[in-house]
Amino acid sequence: MKKYTYIWAIALVTIFSSSCKNESTKTDAPAETADTTGFDVKVDRFADLQVLRYEVPGLDKLTPKQKELVYYLSEAALCGRDIIYASNFRHNIQIRRTLEQIYEKYDGDRTTDNWSKFEVYLKRIWFSNGIHHHYSEKKIMPEFDEAYFRSLVEHTPNATWPVMEGEQGTDMINKLVPVLFDPNIAAKKVVKDKGVDLVVESANNYYGEGITQAMADKHYKAMVKPGDTTPVEYGLNSRLVMGANGPEDLVYKSGGLYGKALDKMIYWLEKAKGVAENEKQAEHLGMLINYFQTGDLHQWDKTNIAWVNSTEGDIDFILGFIEVYGDAISYKGAYEGVIEIKDFDASERMKVMSENAQWFEDNSPIMAEHKKANVVGVSYKVVNVAQEAGDAAPSTPIGVNLPNSNWIRSTHGSKSVSLGNIVQAYDNAAGSGSTDEFYLTDEAKERRKKYGTLSGKLHTAMHEVIGHASGKINPGVGTPKETLKNYGNTLEEARADLVALYYIYDQKLIDLGLMESLDVGKAEYDGYIMNGMMLQLRRLEEGENIEEDHMRNRQLVAAWCYERGKANNVIERKTVDGKTYFVVNDYAKLRVLFGDLLREIQRIKSEGDYKAAEALVETYGVKADQDLLKEVKKRYEKFDLAPYSGFLQPTLTAVLDAEGKFKDLSVSYDATFAEQMMRFSRSYSFLGNDGN
Ligand code: ZN
């Protein structure tokens, strides 16, 4: 349904569905985790982008057969790489291959400024899976001119130009030059402006020449059967083109559009099916194969139902034409693949919390009448990614909630996952510099560096598993959506955060073996207060106030405690060398304040007290201190963190025995982003130069 991405390199909080059951509430304190493993996360930095890499924890805990499954699924996902280029824009494959020919074979000077600009341009195209920026959707303009481009072509003597049938190399270059250099041609991949034809104006390749928005809408609306309660996702897996008798769908399937890539995927999926962990997984794989063979959307629905029901394995995956953000009128699914391994450590944490959910409820500071007699922990899944492809790479979500079909979600449920190792890589990329910048004492700095990662994970787990599960609404009082209206989400997030904050400084977590000392709690308190009082403001523009529910909740919690604790100097605002800090002086008293606020917010929810909800949020959660906002933005500048991040994929290699049978899986990394992209283009280019 939704995918959640980091917009800024450092920890944009994930904004999950408004029902908020599945949202990660990692405090976005600036990821103070110095990399403790010696694994260098940063790979490349250019334009407004940075390329990071992630580790694959848990791979060593898999059996050889499970590793084999991971390998086959990863290969299947990579085989679809060309599809995302082809569907983003019709000339993308030709352009990419042309630039790659130059990159590989140009015999001129590679030390000039222009050559660097050419390299950056190509890397940006790789990053965005085409010539349009992955986030802004605008065409990426080269910083070199047409004359330089033509000289590159001229000095690439041994090029194999990716011409289409009947096309000459020179014709192709002449065709592509205006596409690359004229800002008015194919200016935007997805146009959502009011009053224009969204299909005609968008540069993506989901609709052929001559198809208008009205035609497309009419075409798909005509397919809807009146009263159908189980509609398929009409138009999801096809390009709509003008045929002899009007608009017709070119379906993505074996023997159809993108068939050459899909056949390779099917090959690997068959192998995967042979080593599936259990029957349900094998069944799901078989259905997916059938769907890629037939392109039948009813089969896609059945596949998704099988996927929702396949929950027992340690390995799971997302593969197909899924999110529709790339189509301005939201019919067309973008190709994506994400191969996941269960996060064994996180699952263990969740399990411990879930098993003790009643203890947490019984010992909570909320009023007795608002406690649940039988509380059941919310199930929440963290996975580690082993491979990503298509729309999920290099730029990736950090959490996914699927399938998208509403009737399947309500009838059969959905799966919601947080991508743990991706979040970890983001954390590590931020480095420890920001910790030194924003925490005043050496003690606090050390604690954040030592325990920041663990405290964040424990906070998230408690927020999700016991926070949202806690408390009950008084008989006769409506749902928070009805009673608290627009303030409901903010307070629900605050409530779940407060449960986590209250318990992270509790001996119980030590007794449960989840942490070694209360210093973990202190690290979380320092981070939460600093973030809520000022750090998160860096995401706003000057003059803006806080709109987003999670941001409102964090400022509300921090600012309320700051004010209530003033008499006892619980949290102190200090200015040192012109820099502002919020320092926690008394952790035990701060914990009491968290408990007080939790009790009050639970009361508001249980009683449906709209007036109190409004007063709390409006007083503490909305207004952004503009001086702090300016200061924090300024202090972040020196870290040169790119606005957008993407990932290098781990190279998974099958280790075979003497008889050629799978023995083990080895993980390595390409040395550079360019190296990986060139390797992918060599190994996983299955579509023709015309993109079919
Ligand atoms: Zn939440």
Side-chain angles (χ1 to χ4, degrees):
M1 198 65 175
K2 290 190 165 74
K3 63 175 184 177
Y4 316 101
T5 51
Y6 275 72
I7 293 178
W8 293 88
I10 25 171
L12 172 69
V13 180
T14 60
I15 303 155
F16 277 65
S17 57
S18 53
S19 69
C20 147
K21 276 206 179 110
N22 304 306
E23 136 283 351
S24 153
T25 50
K26 191 172 134 21
T27 63
D28 60 351
E32 306 71 29
T33 49
D35 180 16
T36 47
T37 58
F39 181 82
D40 190 4
V41 174
K42 292 185 186 183
V43 175
D44 204 347
R45 169 87 173 85
F46 49 92
D48 55 352
L49 308 169
Q50 65 183 0
V51 179
L52 311 174
R53 51 180 198 159
Y54 58 86
E55 290 182 283
V56 191
L59 200 60
D60 53 333
K61 292 190 176 135
L62 300 181
T63 64
K65 194 175 156 203
Q66 286 178 311
K67 289 180 185 176
E68 196 174 358
L69 175 61
V70 168
Y71 176 69
Y72 296 148
L73 290 172
S74 297
E75 287 297 309
L78 287 170
C79 286
R81 178 174 182 254
D82 273 355
I83 297 175
I84 191 71
Y85 279 85
S87 44
N88 278 343
F89 179 53
R90 66 195 171 108
H91 296 304
N92 269 343
I93 289 201
Q94 256 191 328
I95 292 169
R96 191 194 78 206
R97 288 179 184 163
T98 298
L99 301 182
E100 285 170 350
Q101 282 295 308
I102 295 169
Y103 184 77
E104 206 179 349
K105 297 170 180 168
Y106 175 62
D107 67 4
D109 188 353
R110 291 182 180 232
T111 62
T112 65
D113 191 37
N114 261 332
W115 177 259
S116 306
K117 287 174 178 166
F118 169 76
E119 277 186 320
V120 167
Y121 179 58
L122 177 54
K123 286 199 280 188
R124 294 181 75 185
I125 288 175
W126 281 328
F127 191 100
S128 291
N129 295 313
I131 63 167
H132 298 91
H133 191 280
H134 76 287
Y135 190 80
S136 77
E137 321 272 11
K138 288 180 191 148
K139 187 160 85 175
I140 301 164
M141 296 305 295
E143 289 187 26
F144 50 89
D145 61 13
E146 182 187 328
Y148 181 68
F149 177 68
R150 288 191 182 275
S151 84
L152 289 175
V153 170
E154 215 170 293
H155 290 96
T156 306
N158 300 314
T160 313
W161 299 117
V163 292
M164 292 190 199
E165 218 177 289
E167 197 177 38
Q168 298 298 311
T170 342
D171 299 339
M172 184 198 74
I173 298 296
N174 287 335
K175 176 184 78 181
L176 294 183
V177 160
V179 174
L180 299 184
F181 293 96
D182 184 338
N184 298 314
I185 295 176
K188 210 167 174 194
K189 187 171 72 183
V190 188
V191 172
K192 289 178 183 154
D193 305 342
K194 273 195 184 134
V196 301
D197 189 310
L198 302 181
V199 164
V200 172
E201 294 302 316
S202 294
N204 62 39
N205 197 18
Y206 291 122
Y207 303 91
E209 292 281 318
I211 298 287
T212 64
Q213 183 179 350
M215 282 178 202
D217 269 327
K218 189 175 163 219
H219 178 77
Y220 291 118
K221 287 199 174 123
M223 292 181 181
V224 181
K225 297 179 205 85
D228 186 0
T229 52
T230 60
V232 298
E233 296 171 78
Y234 295 105
L236 186 72
N237 64 338
S238 64
R239 183 188 301 158
L240 188 64
V241 298
M242 190 50 84
N245 305 310
E248 64 182 34
D249 285 289
L250 298 182
V251 176
Y252 313 158
K253 61 175 183 177
S254 189
L257 190 56
Y258 305 147
K260 284 182 253 175
L262 286 163
D263 285 344
K264 297 284 177 186
M265 291 162 66
I266 290 168
Y267 167 83
W268 290 108
L269 291 174
E270 293 280 10
K271 284 178 166 291
K273 190 171 165 240
V275 293
E277 293 176 275
N278 53 58
E279 201 111 315
K280 279 185 179 168
Q281 197 178 55
E283 188 194 10
H284 166 231
L285 277 159
M287 287 185 157
L288 184 63
I289 291 166
N290 180 283
Y291 166 61
F292 287 154
Q293 284 166 337
T294 62
D296 178 358
L297 286 168
H298 291 283
Q299 180 65 19
W300 174 238
D301 280 354
K302 285 183 205 159
T303 305
N304 279 322
I305 294 166
W307 177 69
V308 167
N309 290 325
S310 167
T311 53
E312 279 134 49
D314 293 331
I315 293 148
D316 203 356
F317 67 98
I318 294 162
L319 192 65
F321 307 97
I322 305 200
E323 305 291 357
V324 294
Y325 306 107
D327 173 11
I329 55 172
S330 303
Y331 288 104
K332 306 298 176 187
Y335 170 72
E336 98 173 71
V338 181
I339 313 305
E340 310 159 355
I341 301 170
K342 182 174 171 184
D343 183 328
F344 297 98
D345 296 336
S347 304
E348 189 53 38
R349 269 197 298 277
M350 309 291 172
K351 196 169 142 242
V352 171
M353 280 167 194
S354 222
E355 283 167 358
N356 290 278
Q358 193 64 50
W359 184 93
F360 287 112
E361 184 76 349
D362 294 345
N363 290 278
S364 161
I366 62 176
M367 288 179 233
E369 66 260 41
H370 299 148
K371 288 182 183 178
K372 276 185 186 153
N374 289 301
V375 66
V376 179
V378 171
S379 92
Y380 169 76
K381 210 170 145 207
V382 180
V383 299
N384 289 311
V385 163
Q387 195 74 209
E388 294 183 295
D391 199 30
S395 173
T396 168
I398 58 169
V400 188
N401 185 345
L402 289 170
N404 281 336
S405 166
N406 280 322
W407 74 264
I408 296 180
R409 294 169 71 83
S410 54
T411 315
H412 300 275
S414 64
K415 281 187 189 172
S416 202
V417 294
S418 166
L419 310 183
N421 55 339
I422 297 289
V423 173
Q424 183 71 56
Y426 275 110
D427 273 8
N428 292 349
S432 57
S434 54
T435 305
D436 292 332
E437 173 65 36
F438 292 109
Y439 295 88
L440 189 57
T441 66
D442 287 344
E443 201 188 332
K445 287 175 194 176
E446 287 314 306
R447 222 167 24 217
R448 286 295 304 167
K449 287 174 192 175
K450 190 169 177 192
Y451 294 123
T453 299
L454 176 63
S455 81
K457 285 179 179 173
L458 287 174
H459 178 113
T460 303
M462 284 192 283
H463 174 111
E464 301 294 348
V465 179
I466 57 174
H468 284 308
S470 158
K472 64 178 183 191
I473 293 173
N474 291 353
V477 174
T479 65
K481 207 173 178 174
E482 292 159 356
T483 58
L484 306 181
K485 302 186 174 76
N486 52 321
Y487 300 112
N489 285 340
T490 296
L491 289 189
E492 178 57 20
E493 291 313 308
R495 209 176 62 83
D497 264 6
L498 285 161
V499 169
L501 289 165
Y502 185 77
Y503 282 119
I504 204 162
Y505 194 63
D506 193 310
Q507 178 65 29
K508 181 73 176 176
L509 293 203
I510 300 174
D511 297 344
L512 289 173
L514 292 167
M515 63 189 201
E516 62 183 36
S517 91
L518 291 179
D519 277 358
V520 177
K522 288 184 180 175
E524 186 63 15
Y525 283 15
D526 290 336
Y528 196 93
I529 294 300
M530 199 54 196
N531 186 51
M533 293 305 290
M534 63 186 287
L535 297 186
Q536 67 169 355
L537 296 176
R538 72 186 179 279
R539 292 202 253 123
L540 302 179
E541 297 302 325
E542 275 184 35
E544 279 182 351
N545 280 319
I546 303 175
E547 297 276 348
E548 201 276 316
D549 292 326
H550 297 84
M551 286 182 70
R552 284 185 166 189
N553 127 50
R554 286 190 212 102
Q555 178 168 300
L556 186 167
V557 169
W560 188 91
C561 293
Y562 173 64
E563 199 185 287
R564 289 298 166 111
K566 257 184 184 162
N568 292 317
N569 206 21
V570 176
I571 300 166
E572 189 177 354
R573 179 175 176 151
K574 289 186 177 173
T575 308
V576 179
D577 298 333
K579 293 176 178 178
T580 308
Y581 302 87
F582 288 87
V583 178
V584 179
N585 287 325
D586 191 328
Y587 295 91
K589 285 209 175 93
L590 179 54
R591 183 182 189 224
V592 173
L593 290 172
F594 285 143
D596 291 346
L597 184 56
L598 173 58
R599 187 166 53 247
E600 170 61 4
I601 290 180
Q602 182 61 55
R603 182 197 68 75
I604 291 171
K605 184 182 173 184
S606 295
E607 297 175 3
D609 186 347
Y610 177 82
K611 279 243 162 312
E614 181 182 38
L616 254 189
V617 178
E618 292 294 342
T619 309
Y620 297 102
V622 177
K623 212 164 162 291
D625 182 318
Q626 295 297 317
D627 292 332
L628 280 178
L629 184 155
K630 274 179 225 159
E631 181 189 327
V632 86
K633 275 181 170 291
K634 185 101 199 91
R635 284 165 73 183
Y636 261 105
E637 271 171 17
K638 62 168 158 291
F639 301 114
D640 188 31
L641 296 163
Y644 307 99
S645 297
F647 286 84
L648 189 84
Q649 301 304 316
T651 307
L652 305 178
T653 312
V655 181
L656 305 178
D657 66 14
E659 283 134 47
K661 286 209 170 117
F662 185 95
K663 203 172 94 191
D664 201 1
L665 193 57
S666 87
V667 182
S668 59
Y669 293 86
D670 289 302
T672 65
F673 179 55
E675 201 176 297
Q676 173 154 97
M677 291 296 106
M678 290 300 283
R679 183 170 64 79
F680 281 0
S681 291
R682 277 192 307 275
S683 307
Y684 304 105
S685 271
F686 298 117
L687 298 188
N689 294 326
D690 58 357
N692 293 338

